[in-house]
Amino acid sequence: MSSNPSVIQTPVQLILNDQQTINAAYQVADFALEERNKRDQNRILPTEQINQFSQKGLGGIRIPKQYGGAFVSNKSLAHVFRILSKADANVGQIPQNQFGLLNFINITGSETQKQFIYSEILAGKRIANGGPEKNSKDTKAIQTTLTLENGQYFLNGEKFYSTGTSFADWLAIRALHPDDYTVLAIVDRHASGVEVINDWNGFGQRTTASGTVKLRNVVVDPALFFDERIIADTPNVRGAYSQLLQVAIDVGIAEAAFDDTLSSIRKARPIIDAGVEKASEEHYTLQEVGKLNILLDAAILLLDDAAEYLDELDQIAEISDEQAARASILVAEAKIYANDAALHISEKLLELGGSRASLSQHNLDQHWRNARVHTLHDPVRWKFHAIGDYYLNGTHPARHAWI
């Protein structure tokens, strides 16, 4: 194992508890909100904001206490991502994969592997995702391969949707092992043969650096291979945990859009037929805002309920298949409401705010763009299917990171 130079120059703050976590999240969010519109409109990466996220110690808040982390609650973790995503949904999404990967490592890794990776994260290093590929038949199919030559493993392939790789010290690359199973290989971001290209051009989540990673004869250390078969063979909450953070991001987008909706209405002119002095006094507008508030509250409550159930499972050494399934279903229910809240509120913002809300200098369309792009990760039509099949037929959801 080796460690590459970190971008973190100052000592990383040590977070000890949930309250310190929330305080740090608000500090990063305040900074992320500055020049958010400029970054979005010009595709400027939030490098300083992500550096602050790491320097504040937020990267390691779910690392178990025996390894030096705070191991804050899942509810606090979800709150962190709501806070960050309300300020800038890109800053919220960039570190999301790191937490999913650390959870995966906690389930599948050896003590030596955990000690090494966790110490890197607690020192301020970052790890990013290199799993999905273009032009494959589905998200699980990969063509990236490991080959063994003269006692060395070489990695070759190309990844896309590699969120946060431009900010990373380590890359987690899904690859086919020579013995015909899939592993997650942790690779030095600066190793020879690794090329990270920020070619993500989605109309939303513009600054997440979710682009291409090219791997050409990269020498990799087998001590940092993690066998994905372990996940498939044991009950776990990998999917529910990963999805919980996706839900929190959507809720954060919805919260930002709701605040801007209220602000925009207060500046808008009323419809002349309403016979009122202010747009904020229009009867139909009041009705719409009431509906939006209820939708947002429901999304937050369902997110909290799902997080609290995951917190209950954290206290159990070995969970059952039924408990793992229940966790996925609760998160799926929250995902549906968060999806609808983010999309519906961000659209109503433009309708209720009137023509003024469409002016490019206000950049209010970013909420809908971010919501539309982010919610494409895990389409809710299959959440409805999984929930219905669970309650009607007792069918457990598939065991992967997307449910």
Side-chain angles (χ1 to χ4, degrees):
M1 300 179 187
S2 64
S3 175
N4 50 307
S6 173
V7 296
I8 303 299
Q9 301 299 321
T10 55
V12 175
Q13 296 179 22
L14 179 63
I15 288 180
L16 300 175
N17 55 51
D18 292 56
Q19 187 58 57
Q20 290 178 357
T21 295
I22 300 303
N23 292 344
Y26 276 117
Q27 291 169 8
V28 175
D30 287 343
F31 184 43
L33 188 58
E34 298 176 12
E35 299 191 336
R36 176 192 67 187
N37 292 347
K38 180 180 178 180
R39 292 195 303 272
D40 174 75
Q41 292 175 325
N42 296 282
R43 294 186 182 270
I44 300 170
L45 297 182
T47 303
E48 294 180 5
Q49 290 73 20
I50 296 302
N51 284 344
Q52 188 185 73
F53 173 90
S54 299
Q55 195 276 328
K56 291 289 185 183
L58 288 168
I61 54 177
R62 277 288 294 177
I63 290 175
K65 292 183 178 181
Q66 63 264 40
Y67 300 100
F71 199 66
V72 303
S73 69
N74 290 287
K75 189 173 182 179
S76 290
L77 180 66
H79 196 185
V80 165
F81 278 86
R82 278 177 54 197
I83 293 167
L84 295 176
S85 298
K86 181 179 180 181
D88 183 341
N90 298 272
V91 173
Q93 187 182 347
I94 288 164
Q96 174 264 322
N97 279 318
Q98 174 165 301
F99 286 87
L101 291 166
L102 292 177
N103 182 60
F104 177 87
I105 289 167
N106 192 47
I107 297 171
T108 64
S110 67
E111 282 301 305
T112 300
Q113 289 174 323
K114 292 177 185 179
Q115 288 171 5
F116 176 73
I117 295 296
Y118 292 161
S119 65
E120 289 286 283
I121 299 302
L122 291 171
K125 303 291 183 66
R126 292 187 289 269
I127 186 169
N129 178 50
E133 298 178 0
K134 282 184 177 178
N135 305 318
S136 57
K137 69 174 184 176
D138 56 47
T139 53
K140 295 186 72 173
I142 57 173
Q143 297 180 344
T144 300
T145 57
L146 285 163
T147 56
L148 182 59
E149 302 174 22
N150 299 320
Q152 280 192 320
Y153 283 92
F154 294 89
L155 185 63
N156 284 276
E158 186 171 311
K159 300 292 185 177
F160 196 60
Y161 305 116
S162 304
T163 299
T165 47
S166 294
F167 310 94
D169 300 277
W170 296 95
L171 306 179
I173 306 295
R174 293 185 71 238
L176 295 173
H177 192 274
D179 293 335
D180 198 29
Y181 61 92
T182 302
V183 299
L184 195 71
I186 308 300
V187 179
D188 187 332
R189 155 71 175 84
H190 302 285
S192 176
V194 175
E195 182 181 7
V196 174
I197 306 170
N198 180 27
D199 55 353
W200 169 247
N201 65 354
F203 62 74
Q205 297 297 85
R206 290 175 171 177
T207 64
T208 56
S210 299
T212 300
V213 175
K214 293 184 178 181
L215 306 149
R216 300 290 181 266
N217 294 319
V218 180
V219 177
V220 289
D221 186 351
L224 292 177
F225 291 171
F226 296 85
D227 190 343
E228 287 201 352
R229 293 175 296 184
I230 297 172
I231 286 285
D233 294 340
T234 58
N236 60 78
V237 294
R238 178 198 185 188
Y241 184 88
S242 176
Q243 286 294 298
L244 185 80
L245 302 187
Q246 304 286 10
V247 175
I249 293 168
D250 291 340
V251 170
I253 295 172
E255 290 181 290
F258 186 72
D259 281 1
D260 279 344
T261 299
L262 300 182
S263 177
S264 295
I265 292 171
R266 292 178 182 129
K267 299 173 185 176
R269 293 182 297 180
I271 297 295
I272 192 169
D273 297 326
V276 296
E277 292 295 321
K278 301 176 183 178
S280 59
E281 296 173 348
E282 287 187 26
H283 296 112
Y284 293 120
T285 297
L286 296 175
Q287 174 179 274
E288 290 298 319
V289 170
K291 289 180 180 178
L292 298 180
N293 186 77
I294 292 168
L295 177 59
L296 179 56
D297 282 350
I300 293 171
L301 288 170
L302 286 169
L303 172 62
D304 285 347
D305 283 348
E308 288 170 1
Y309 186 70
L310 286 175
D311 286 331
E312 291 179 23
L313 297 187
D314 275 345
Q315 309 306 314
I316 301 173
E318 294 185 11
I319 66 171
S320 66
D321 283 320
E322 175 57 34
Q323 288 169 322
R326 178 67 176 162
S328 289
I329 292 300
L330 290 176
V331 176
E333 292 171 354
K335 171 68 174 177
I336 289 170
Y337 269 79
N339 174 95
D340 291 354
L343 289 171
H344 189 57
I345 296 172
S346 60
E347 182 178 2
K348 282 292 181 179
L349 158 60
L350 301 175
E351 175 190 335
L352 300 177
S355 299
R356 185 197 308 252
S358 69
L359 298 179
S360 60
Q361 63 260 38
H362 301 314
N363 203 37
L364 294 176
D365 61 302
Q366 69 182 297
H367 300 308
W368 184 86
R369 290 187 286 102
N370 290 338
R372 183 63 283 175
V373 169
H374 185 259
T375 55
L376 296 175
H377 281 68
D378 312 285
V380 294
R381 61 186 180 273
W382 281 100
K383 307 295 183 186
F384 284 110
H385 174 275
I387 292 167
D389 206 14
Y390 174 79
Y391 285 113
L392 186 61
N393 301 313
T395 304
H396 289 177
R399 192 175 290 160
H400 54 59
W402 303 279
I403 186 62

